[in-house]
Amino acid sequence: MKKILIIEDDTAIAEIERDFLEIDGFEIAIAADGIEGLKLALTNNFSLILLDLMLPGIDGYEICRKIRAKLDIPILMVTAKIEDIDKIRGLGIGADDYISKPFSPTELVARVKSNLAQYERLTSIGNAKAEEVQAGHVRINILTHRVYVNNCEFEFKNKEYELLVFFVSNPDVVFSKEQLYEKIWGMDAFGDLKTVAVHINRIREKIEKDAQNPIYIQTVWGAGYRFKI
């Protein structure tokens, strides 16, 4: 049984999340403030964390940053904030996905399952065999999940890494944002497609000499993106 930690100070929302996830067979723990949530996250073996942004004690951004520094598990931010800058900030510090309040409980369960499935798929690929893929000056060790650019190692968050591996494995193929969301986040375009653009921009900042004029991840206007070797 997979264990999920809900860090949420709104009792009603936390209980709704718990009830629907328990129906689907998950084991749930709830923390009502940031300090307790961070402690539980770092001292227990959870499969995924549902993280509110606005929390007493420590806010969700800081919790996400501290968890990501130590753990490589999916983090799904649940937020009432609707500004793009808040979403970009959350994704930038290591969140894998987010869902905005108010949300449909069935959508929440679907997003949880999707993120877990994609994480397990990526982990199984890495555990299958030692393998490296390379494109230009970008080298990816699939076994260790390490990425090197000009032989210098760069840290890639979960979805950044998975998106880069997907691009490198499918050179010269044009993918729309909807297709990339489905491939990497494991669902039809259920979430905000800005998620895709944010992750692509962060990858460009790490692998491109000039992120504003990318050589590798190119924008095909009106169609999507492609990885050019």
Side-chain angles (χ1 to χ4, degrees), residues 167-195:
F167 270 130
V168 173
S169 302
N170 296 276
D172 291 321
V173 180
V174 177
F175 295 98
S176 67
K177 288 181 181 179
E178 290 83 0
Q179 289 173 319
L180 291 171
Y181 193 92
E182 181 178 357
K183 295 291 185 182
I184 304 305
W185 281 263
M187 317 171 59
D188 293 335
F190 208 172
D192 191 332
L193 294 180
K194 292 186 181 69
T195 301

Side-chain angles (χ1 to χ4, degrees), residues 16-30:
I16 290 173
E17 293 173 343
R18 178 199 63 198
D19 291 347
F20 275 82
L21 289 167
E22 284 183 343
I23 289 172
D24 270 85
F26 295 103
E27 180 181 342
I28 306 300
I30 297 175

Side-chain angles (χ1 to χ4, degrees), residues 98-110:
Y98 62 84
I99 184 169
S100 298
K101 301 176 184 177
F103 54 83
S104 160
T106 54
E107 178 188 355
L108 178 72
V109 173

Side-chain angles (χ1 to χ4, degrees), residues 203-211 213-217:
I203 293 172
R204 283 172 169 166
E205 290 171 0
K206 297 173 183 178
I207 71 171
E208 301 282 0
K209 184 176 181 180
D210 180 359
N213 296 285
I215 296 174
Y216 289 105
I217 302 180

Side-chain angles (χ1 to χ4, degrees), residues 85-222:
I85 189 64
D86 297 304
K87 297 173 183 177
I88 292 171
R89 181 183 175 193
L91 295 170
I93 59 177
D96 295 285
D97 201 0
Y98 62 84
I99 184 169
S100 298
K101 301 176 184 177
F103 54 83
S104 160
T106 54
E107 178 188 355
L108 178 72
V109 173
R111 298 279 280 278
V112 166
K113 288 182 175 180
S114 172
N115 276 275
L116 284 171
Q118 291 298 93
Y119 176 75
E120 290 172 357
R121 182 184 67 80
L122 183 61
T123 302
S124 66
I125 292 173
N127 290 336
K129 58 181 178 178
E131 181 182 352
E132 284 196 348
V133 292
Q134 184 157 356
H137 63 246
V138 179
R139 177 166 56 90
I140 305 170
N141 188 303
I142 300 298
L143 180 63
T144 62
H145 289 201
R146 290 182 172 176
V147 180
Y148 302 88
V149 182
N150 287 326
N151 293 320
C152 294
E153 184 175 356
F154 283 77
E155 180 184 2
F156 280 71
K157 310 301 183 183
N158 285 346
K159 288 296 187 289
E160 293 173 8
Y161 172 82
E162 190 169 355
L163 186 56
L164 178 61
V165 170
F166 180 78
F167 270 130
V168 173
S169 302
N170 296 276
D172 291 321
V173 180
V174 177
F175 295 98
S176 67
K177 288 181 181 179
E178 290 83 0
Q179 289 173 319
L180 291 171
Y181 193 92
E182 181 178 357
K183 295 291 185 182
I184 304 305
W185 281 263
M187 317 171 59
D188 293 335
F190 208 172
D192 191 332
L193 294 180
K194 292 186 181 69
T195 301
V196 175
V198 170
H199 281 80
I200 287 176
N201 287 338
R202 291 187 62 80
I203 293 172
R204 283 172 169 166
E205 290 171 0
K206 297 173 183 178
I207 71 171
E208 301 282 0
K209 184 176 181 180
D210 180 359
Q212 300 302 314
N213 296 285
I215 296 174
Y216 289 105
I217 302 180
Q218 300 178 347
T219 299
V220 181
W221 297 109

